[in-house]
Amino acid sequence: MEAIVFDMDGVLLSTDRMHFEAWKALADRLGLPFDETKAQRCLGLSRMESLEIVLEGSGRSFTAEEKEALAEEKNRHYRALLRGLTPRDLPEETVEVLCELRRRGYRLALASSSKNAPEILARTGLGELLDCAVDGNDVRRAKPDPEVFLLAARRLGVAPERCVGVDDALSGVAAARAAGMTVAAVGFASGAGAGDWNLKSLGELLERCPGAEREDKA
Ligand code: G6P
Ligand code: MG
């Protein structure tokens, strides 16, 4: 393996909790139920696809304009939560794992469905720990389509077969697999046994991605 391609929300930092809070507030306002099961189905999907899940069972139809406004309402709330992000919100484990993988010679990329990724990378300093980032602004199709993982591999200049894709969502696992990568599942997807590797923590990547043999080759 030569490169590791990471999902962001729920893998490198816990912005998945903020997505939950913002979707829940919207659902509450509309009088719709929104629980962890629905939230998990939203993981990795685009904002508009996630909205469809939030609106399920409402018993009414929404126009395209109404949906745009609802998605915008959620995003305003989400972005207000993001304004509080600082480098301290980057878990120590994330920093340690990224720095150590880099020290071992792996190329590191982001493959996120989020259009807010650039702001999150800048606010937390995460961007400086990665070689390149691909996000929802760069692709036409969100996960489970492999586009975001394929583009990350292309930007790194590494064949997808030489990449590990790391994701916490079933849609992300499917996307990385469709891209031809070895899939390391964390969080929910790991609990579901969806990955080739089902990791208990991000730190376990260090056991799966050794450095010594790479140094021998160098
Ligand atoms: C990630 C999250 C999803 C979110 C999507 C779009 O994949 O897991 O829950 O819907 O990004 O995020 P955005 O920040 O563009 O609304
Ligand atoms: Mg995720």
Side-chain angles (χ1 to χ4, degrees):
M1 289 297 152
E2 290 176 35
I4 324 285
V5 184
F6 294 91
D7 173 49
M8 180 180 67
D9 298 319
V11 170
L12 296 178
L13 74 178
S14 48
T15 34
D16 50 328
R17 301 312 309 162
M18 298 178 184
H19 277 296
F20 180 88
E21 188 178 330
W23 282 127
K24 177 88 172 84
L26 179 70
D28 285 352
R29 189 181 72 67
L30 297 172
L32 296 170
F34 186 74
D35 57 13
E36 289 289 345
T37 308
K38 273 197 176 181
Q40 265 143 18
R41 288 173 54 213
C42 291
L43 299 182
L45 305 186
S46 69
R47 194 178 306 156
M48 295 310 286
E49 288 166 336
S50 301
L51 177 66
E52 294 296 339
I53 292 172
V54 174
L55 297 179
E56 268 176 13
S58 69
R60 58 162 289 203
S61 60
F62 295 83
T63 65
E65 289 74 26
E66 286 172 323
K67 286 180 186 172
E68 284 292 339
L70 292 172
E72 183 49 34
E73 178 180 335
K74 180 266 178 178
N75 197 46
R76 261 199 312 276
H77 184 165
Y78 180 61
R79 289 179 63 81
L81 298 174
L82 292 184
R83 277 200 285 279
L85 275 185
T86 75
R88 280 191 301 280
D89 292 296
L90 215 49
E92 246 171 63
E93 187 179 37
T94 295
V95 177
E96 277 167 24
V97 167
L98 294 180
C99 290
E100 177 58 19
L101 288 172
R102 197 175 234 186
R103 197 192 64 78
R104 292 180 186 181
Y106 292 93
R107 309 263 291 139
L108 307 178
L110 188 83
S112 167
S113 298
S114 173
K115 294 185 172 175
N116 289 301
E119 175 163 351
I120 295 169
L121 296 186
R123 281 190 183 278
T124 59
L126 185 55
E128 287 159 40
L129 304 177
L130 301 164
D131 293 298
C132 76
V134 180
D135 63 52
N137 302 291
D138 303 313
V139 296
R140 283 190 300 142
R141 296 173 300 276
K143 302 168 188 177
D145 191 283
E147 188 179 5
V148 69
F149 280 105
L150 289 173
L151 186 54
R154 177 142 32 101
R155 286 201 185 156
L156 286 176
V158 177
E161 294 72 25
R162 312 280 294 169
C163 296
V164 179
V166 190
D167 214 296
D168 65 322
L170 297 180
S171 63
V173 163
R177 185 162 286 135
M181 297 183 180
T182 294
V183 183
V186 297
F188 178 74
S190 171
D196 299 315
W197 306 339
N198 295 294
L199 310 182
K200 282 190 233 35
S201 69
L202 199 64
E204 226 184 292
L205 260 187
L206 297 178
E207 292 161 35
R208 301 281 190 158
C209 301
E213 63 178 87
R214 299 173 57 79
E215 276 157 25
D216 288 346
K217 265 191 253 155

